[in-house]
Amino acid sequence: TLRSRPDGYPKLSDFELVEEQIPQPREGEVLIQSLWLSLDPYMRGRAPSVQLGEVMVGGAVGRITESRTPAYSIGEIVEGRLGWQEYAVSDGRDLRRVDPALGPLPTSLGILGMPGMTAYFGFLDVCNPTPGDTVVVSAASGAVGQVVGQIAKIMGCYVVGTAGSQEKIDYIVNELGFDVGINYKTENVAEALASACPLGIDIYFDNVGGPVSDAVLENLADFARISVCGQISQYNLAEPEMGPRNTRNLTTHQARMEGFLVFQFASRHEEGRQRIARWIKEGKMKYKEDVVEGIENAPAAFIGMMNGENFGKLLIKVSDE
């Protein structure tokens, strides 16, 4: 549960582990045992709206252990916003049946879940890529960024990714097929982008905001498209940074910068899931998961993610499948 409001970066003392009796479903409800919990950057932004003492928000996949509705049967695997807890009661309206044939259960929270759908629609629908485009992806080794980069390669684009360690750079280039990797902690990002993208950047998939995005704006091509997915560099600041001063480049390059939410494409998520699952089976796409065992370790793992310590999609293994 959320014990206190995070001030800047969250601390372990902001959370509290509480033990209660397993809740009982009422008529029209189901009881779900969580198997896997997803940890995502957006949760930092949602923390202010969580009441103190309430369960932290978050997506999870689990098994129905009790059902008092004909809509769901005991044993079915479902995914929904169940929060940081081992058991949850739901009326079913926020649940999605998971098809185990598409991939292992954790993928329903990663590449075949919200992060994958964010990458798929945020890149293909918002950015409208064409073969030969120069694409830059920030937080390229993360749950969303690694998918964006691989879709861009499938679409015939030249892809540059930024990440915060040499290990992550090696992974996106050697394993995922990015053309160039830039370590934003050790390189001058603006100069590295100018070298890697001599004709300018046609598409930028922005997961971080801040100085990395400022550097991208200095290297745009004409008619560039920018998809604003996340701003993780800003989420934990006690005082907001001064906004970018170089948005004039959007005008001079006749570029478009657009924010989006994955939920606006909800009616088409199954389309994205099926296509990504096919790419995985065809060997065109890979994914990396960072697994931590035990719900009691969720706060520490979440704090580590906000500091860039995770490598791939961060998951908490709550119970054995």
Side-chain angles (χ1 to χ4, degrees):
T1 62
L2 189 67
R3 183 178 183 181
S4 58
R5 302 281 179 210
D7 182 15
Y9 278 88
K11 307 178 295 296
L12 287 177
S13 59
D14 292 328
F15 305 92
E16 184 175 11
L17 184 65
V18 177
E19 294 189 11
E20 299 177 340
Q21 291 291 321
I22 296 174
Q24 296 302 304
R26 296 175 295 185
E27 194 65 32
E29 296 181 333
V30 295
L31 177 66
I32 303 156
Q33 180 185 16
S34 292
L35 302 174
W36 295 87
L37 168 68
S38 175
L39 296 184
D40 301 283
Y42 78 84
M43 296 174 182
R44 177 62 183 86
R46 297 288 178 86
S49 64
V50 178
Q51 296 298 313
L52 297 183
E54 282 191 353
V55 174
M56 266 293 289
V57 297
V61 61
R63 178 182 293 107
I64 293 177
T65 58
E66 293 186 43
S67 177
R68 298 192 64 187
T69 170
Y72 291 94
S73 302
I74 293 175
E76 284 192 282
I77 303 297
V78 293
E79 180 266 332
R81 303 181 68 78
L82 308 179
W84 296 17
Q85 55 187 343
E86 293 179 322
Y87 287 86
V89 167
S90 170
D91 62 9
R93 287 182 293 181
D94 61 343
L95 299 180
R96 170 179 71 87
R97 286 183 174 85
V98 173
D99 181 3
L102 289 182
L105 292 190
T107 62
S108 66
L109 297 171
I111 195 167
L112 298 179
M114 184 271 291
M117 299 307 98
T118 299
Y120 183 88
F121 293 103
F123 181 65
L124 293 177
D125 279 54
V126 177
C127 297
N128 299 311
T130 58
D133 277 344
T134 292
V135 176
V136 173
V137 184
S138 55
S141 67
V144 174
Q146 61 178 272
V147 182
V148 172
Q150 292 180 91
I151 294 176
K153 290 303 297 181
I154 291 171
M155 295 295 114
C157 301
Y158 170 82
V159 184
V160 178
T162 67
S165 74
Q166 190 58 47
E167 182 184 17
K168 293 177 179 179
I169 295 298
D170 291 342
Y171 175 71
I172 64 172
V173 173
N174 299 330
E175 295 293 325
L176 302 186
F178 282 61
D179 295 284
V180 177
I182 297 172
N183 187 332
Y184 70 87
K185 292 184 178 180
T186 61
E187 299 182 64
N188 181 306
V189 178
E191 292 179 359
L193 287 172
S195 176
C197 312
L199 300 180
I201 297 165
D202 298 299
I203 293 174
Y204 175 43
F205 197 95
D206 184 9
N207 288 306
V208 301
V212 171
S213 296
D214 293 347
V216 170
L217 289 176
E218 292 294 337
N219 288 278
L220 294 179
D222 289 345
F223 307 107
R225 291 87 74 200
I226 300 173
S227 179
V228 183
C229 174
Q231 302 280 284
I232 194 171
S233 70
Q234 310 298 300
Y235 292 163
N236 299 294
L237 300 179
E239 295 291 335
E241 287 183 338
M242 184 66 71
R245 302 287 186 107
N246 54 358
T247 52
R248 68 187 184 282
N249 293 331
L250 297 174
T251 301
T252 56
H253 290 288
Q254 304 157 80
R256 173 169 56 84
M257 189 173 187
E258 180 178 345
F260 75 98
L261 293 174
V262 66
F263 309 109
Q264 73 193 69
F265 302 102
S267 64
R268 296 173 53 204
H269 281 187
E270 193 56 32
E271 165 202 326
R273 256 188 293 277
Q274 293 291 335
R275 197 174 186 192
I276 291 177
R278 185 169 67 250
W279 283 333
I280 294 172
K281 290 178 181 178
E282 292 172 349
K284 296 179 179 178
M285 187 170 286
K286 301 177 181 179
Y287 59 92
K288 188 175 184 64
E289 297 169 340
D290 191 337
V291 175
V292 175
E293 296 208 17
I295 192 125
E296 67 277 8
N297 294 314
F302 179 68
I303 293 167
M305 176 185 65
M306 300 310 297
N307 285 287
E309 295 174 9
N310 65 300
F311 191 173
K313 172 61 193 152
L314 183 58
L315 297 160
I316 300 294
K317 184 179 181 181
V318 181
S319 305
D320 290 333
E321 296 181 18

